[in-house]
Amino acid sequence: MLRSTCNGPKATMEGTLMDAPSKEFALAGSLEELKIKGRLVVHGGHRPILVIYDRGRVFALDNRCPHMGFPLERGSVEDGILTCHWHHARFDLESGCTFDLWADDVPICPVEVRNGDVWVKTNFTHADLAAHWRQRLANGLAHDLGLVIAKAMHGQLAAGVPQAEIVREVALFGARNRDGWGVGLTILTALANILPVLPEEEAYLALFHGARRVAADCDGEAPRRERAPLGSRPDPAALKRWLRRWTNVRHREAAERTLLTAIAAGFSPAELADALFAAETERAFADTGHSLDFINKAFECLDLVGWQHAAALLPTVVGQMVAARGAEESTAWRQPVDLVALCEKSTSELADLLAAGRGWRDWSGRAALAQQLLGDDPARIVDALKEAIRAGAAPADLGQSLAYAAALRVARFGNANEHADWETAHHVFTYANAVHQMLTRIGTANIDTHGTAVRGVLHGAMALYLARYLNVPPARIPGDGGEQLDDLPADPETIGAALLDAFDRQRQVDLAARLVARHLTLGHSPQALIATLAHAVLREDAGFHAYQMLEAGVRQFGASGDTDEGRHILIAVARYLAAHSPTERASLQTADIARRLMQGGELHQEAGSS
Ligand code: FES
């Protein structure tokens, strides 16, 4: 007689007669021996198997506790329940299912009793591995179980599930199970964006971090309520006006329905970006830039998971957008210079100049404009933007210049500042990156209608101006002016190891910057350096901002290329990361335990012998 289980494989009752044992089965011992000892351990090729005799029945299961690998042979059985003696997780002996969700289910395997001998099937498998691990990921996300998420991520990748499909599963879970876009979905998207430059093992870590942060965001939250588009199909200009109107009066329901109507009407990603950018910039530097960053990330997420999910994902940003606090409410933007009034006055002037602009492809003044944006006179900063437009700069060029200037603010962050001030520099950089990405997406095809979008550049420029104290005095940027840095190692592997070693210690900001400069000035591969920086983030219990900084830096480096500007950008990333490392690395430990359990390692024995 066969009994079905929650784990897929099936256990047989004592005395079941079968045909000749296949090669997949191994002899565990005689039934008599098992009855006397109560349990036997078979050391199969992949993992040890525990065979248990309990009240007339025989069971076989992975001997390694699914929690942290403690040998279950040392556990106890009572009333059909197996208890691990390490952290006392309890399991249904027949199915392997756990009563303690944090521990995960223990895999079981078929066992046969034949002519007085006990045979066990030594491989643990499922008919549809991808479906099995997809379900496990759903369970892990639903209950915010880091270990289950890590195993499911490993299992899906090993089963050949495309990374984009995994990102889609997690993103849609996050959109459904939380009332609004959050930190978790931002981290997921940021890490998914850099998957193409990561080695395989780092991709596992990146997906794990993204998924666990989405699960944590959704834990205990009310699920999202669906809204419907309007029954009519107003023209694009009206929908854009309405979105701005509802944002101004903080009417979330109206803004969501307007956006859903635009999606249902088939607006292109560029048109949707234009409408949301215009609404978002009704407030200056809203929520210290996070609101726009989240909007940009929602667009990037749709690029990754497919625009057929626009109605599920994009409206999740509206709640924060309409509720965000604008910088116009803060004293710093009003006194001693009324920066808000300056932005409002300059917006129409910039829009008019853009409308008259031609020959955008020929403009090459990004580095020079960035230096002007770092100035200490806001009126001159606006003049520099106007001059750039007259010289042929397109909106995206302004955004990229702003992002480079903001990266320089981080790269020159003075060590005399308070530690919390790093976040001020970071906010401007990630906001500027979002402005650049959004303006690139919007493009120039409809320049006459999106002049308001340049408000984002003005707001970013003023936020950058207000953060000028962070560079007083400025930190030196290594590698400039042909500086050789010959006291540092020369080969890329040693530089990479030294960089990771620097991240192992607190306050190695300047050393990290010098090693990055050394790597790039010697002409070594930027991709290898980016992989090292990514590893430095993924091995930590990184804060939200570290993921943002890494991804925005990689994006901006990609736009600038392996140039002086690119070097400055990666130095900014390294300095920020060095200021925030090391951490406890608890998540890395969870990911490592999951990986070793999935690969069949005997964790407890390995730990005991180390
Ligand atoms: S409960 Fe078994 S190792 Fe933790």
Side-chain angles (χ1 to χ4, degrees):
M1 175 178 154
L2 296 176
R3 287 175 184 263
S4 64
T5 75
C6 70
N7 269 316
K10 302 179 188 311
T12 58
M13 295 289 289
E14 176 189 3
T16 300
L17 291 177
M18 306 286 286
D19 293 336
S22 74
K23 289 177 185 168
E24 294 176 316
F25 281 74
L27 179 63
S30 71
L31 182 59
E32 280 310 306
E33 181 189 8
L34 179 60
K35 281 180 177 175
I36 293 167
K37 294 181 177 174
R39 57 197 67 183
L40 297 170
V41 176
V42 182
H43 290 281
H46 184 244
R47 62 183 90 177
I49 300 167
L50 172 62
V51 185
I52 289 182
Y53 181 85
D54 182 52
R55 295 178 299 179
R57 298 176 64 190
V58 181
F59 305 93
L61 56 165
D62 191 335
N63 190 38
R64 305 162 314 149
C65 178
H67 178 224
M68 289 186 67
F70 188 76
L72 289 173
E73 66 186 283
R74 300 192 209 168
S76 54
V77 176
E78 183 189 340
D79 193 21
I81 297 171
L82 168 63
T83 300
C84 174
H85 282 195
W86 199 238
H87 308 95
H88 302 97
R90 290 147 296 186
F91 306 93
D92 168 25
L93 190 54
E94 180 172 351
S95 67
C97 294
T98 185
F99 293 95
D100 301 286
L101 296 183
W102 46 266
D104 200 6
D105 297 340
V106 58
I108 62 171
C109 63
V111 55
E112 299 174 1
V113 178
R114 173 193 308 282
N115 300 325
D117 287 332
V118 179
W119 294 80
V120 292
K121 194 172 182 180
T122 55
N123 66 331
F124 295 74
T125 190
H126 301 274
D128 185 342
L129 271 176
H132 170 76
W133 289 116
R134 187 178 304 117
Q135 183 56 49
R136 297 302 297 147
L137 177 60
N139 292 347
L141 290 169
H143 299 284
D144 190 17
L145 302 169
L147 185 65
V148 176
I149 291 170
K151 288 184 194 173
M153 207 56 81
H154 197 286
Q156 287 207 69
L157 291 171
V161 178
Q163 294 172 349
E165 202 172 299
I166 298 173
V167 173
R168 184 182 311 121
E169 285 176 51
V170 179
L172 293 176
F173 173 88
R176 279 194 306 270
N177 289 285
R178 188 176 192 278
D179 190 24
W181 187 275
V183 164
L185 283 169
T186 300
I187 293 172
L188 173 75
T189 305
L191 291 176
N193 277 337
I194 63 169
L195 282 174
V197 300
L198 298 182
E200 194 175 324
E201 180 57 22
E202 301 295 333
Y204 158 59
L205 276 178
L207 289 166
F208 165 58
H209 279 297
R212 78 179 174 85
R213 295 300 293 262
V214 168
D217 253 11
C218 296
D219 191 23
E221 292 286 319
R224 178 173 167 73
R225 282 180 297 161
E226 293 299 324
R227 280 90 177 173
L230 304 170
S232 61
R233 290 293 178 266
D235 65 68
L239 286 168
K240 184 175 171 181
R241 280 198 313 276
W242 290 357
L243 203 51
R244 292 175 65 179
R245 172 195 293 254
W246 304 136
T247 302
N248 265 316
V249 298
R250 303 189 189 281
H251 193 339
R252 174 183 174 176
E253 299 288 353
E256 281 206 32
R257 293 201 78 177
T258 301
L259 180 58
L260 282 164
T261 305
I263 294 167
F267 276 32
S268 69
E271 289 171 318
L272 291 169
D274 182 35
L276 274 168
F277 198 108
E280 164 64 24
T281 53
E282 288 292 290
R283 299 196 176 91
F285 199 54
D287 279 354
T288 56
H290 284 119
S291 182
L292 180 66
D293 191 43
F294 284 11
I295 290 170
N296 178 54
K297 279 288 166 286
F299 277 90
E300 292 176 352
C301 188
L302 284 166
D303 292 340
L304 294 164
V305 306
W307 275 87
Q308 67 272 28
H309 301 293
L313 284 170
L314 210 47
T316 64
V317 301
V318 168
Q320 174 163 14
M321 182 179 77
V322 302
R325 184 177 177 212
E328 60 272 15
E329 298 177 52
S330 73
T331 302
W333 282 64
R334 296 291 189 182
Q335 296 287 343
V337 181
D338 192 337
L339 300 174
V340 177
L342 179 64
C343 288
E344 286 172 356
K345 170 175 163 289
S346 306
T347 292
S348 59
E349 296 168 10
L350 287 171
D352 289 346
L353 288 171
L354 275 172
R358 293 293 182 269
W360 291 316
R361 272 175 244 152
D362 300 331
W363 188 73
S364 59
R366 279 191 289 270
L369 175 59
Q371 295 300 336
Q372 293 171 298
L373 292 175
L374 290 165
D376 56 7
D377 181 338
R380 292 178 114 178
I381 289 169
V382 172
D383 287 342
L385 287 169
K386 289 179 184 171
E387 191 49 47
I389 295 171
R390 285 193 198 96
D397 293 323
L398 303 180
Q400 187 178 348
S401 302
L402 177 68
Y404 174 48
L408 285 172
R409 198 63 102 205
V410 183
R412 294 174 179 164
F413 184 93
N415 292 334
N417 291 303
E418 279 196 301
H419 188 268
D421 284 333
W422 279 106
E423 310 320 320
T424 303
H426 157 273
H427 284 142
V428 182
F429 177 54
T430 50
Y431 178 82
N433 174 61
V435 168
H436 178 212
Q437 303 310 324
M438 290 294 282
L439 292 180
T440 301
R441 186 181 297 276
I442 294 167
T444 55
N446 206 11
I447 190 74
D448 291 342
T449 63
H450 59 228
T452 50
V454 299
R455 288 188 302 190
V457 175
L458 285 166
H459 295 161
M462 294 306 116
L464 182 69
Y465 158 76
L466 284 172
R468 65 196 182 285
Y469 70 95
L470 299 175
N471 294 155
V472 181
R476 270 192 65 252
I477 298 185
D480 278 355
E483 185 184 13
Q484 292 300 306
L485 306 160
D486 285 335
D487 58 314
L488 296 174
D491 69 280
E493 289 76 21
T494 311
I495 293 173
L499 190 52
L500 290 174
D501 183 61
F503 289 132
D504 272 334
R505 292 170 283 139
Q506 291 185 328
R507 291 189 286 276
Q508 299 303 306
V509 171
D510 292 334
L511 176 58
R514 296 179 80 241
L515 286 162
V516 167
R518 177 71 165 163
H519 181 101
L520 292 173
T521 53
L522 287 175
H524 297 319
S525 157
Q527 284 67 35
L529 176 61
I530 287 170
T532 301
L533 292 172
H535 178 68
V537 173
L538 292 171
R539 69 179 180 171
E540 304 289 352
D541 298 330
F544 167 47
H545 289 167
Y547 297 107
Q548 286 180 302
M549 176 61 75
L550 172 69
E551 191 260 353
V554 172
R555 280 265 182 194
Q556 290 304 317
F557 180 85
S560 293
D562 193 3
T563 60
D564 282 347
E565 295 167 42
R567 171 168 51 84
H568 296 159
I569 290 164
L570 291 188
I571 283 174
V573 173
R575 295 190 85 236
Y576 181 90
L577 298 183
H580 295 79
S581 301
T583 63
E584 291 87 347
R585 298 178 185 168
S587 293
L588 180 67
Q589 190 178 16
T590 300
D592 190 49
I593 289 168
R595 180 181 54 78
R596 290 195 286 159
L597 283 168
M598 293 291 289
Q599 290 175 341
E602 298 195 34
L603 272 69
H604 194 263
Q605 286 84 339
E606 289 171 14
S609 62
S610 63

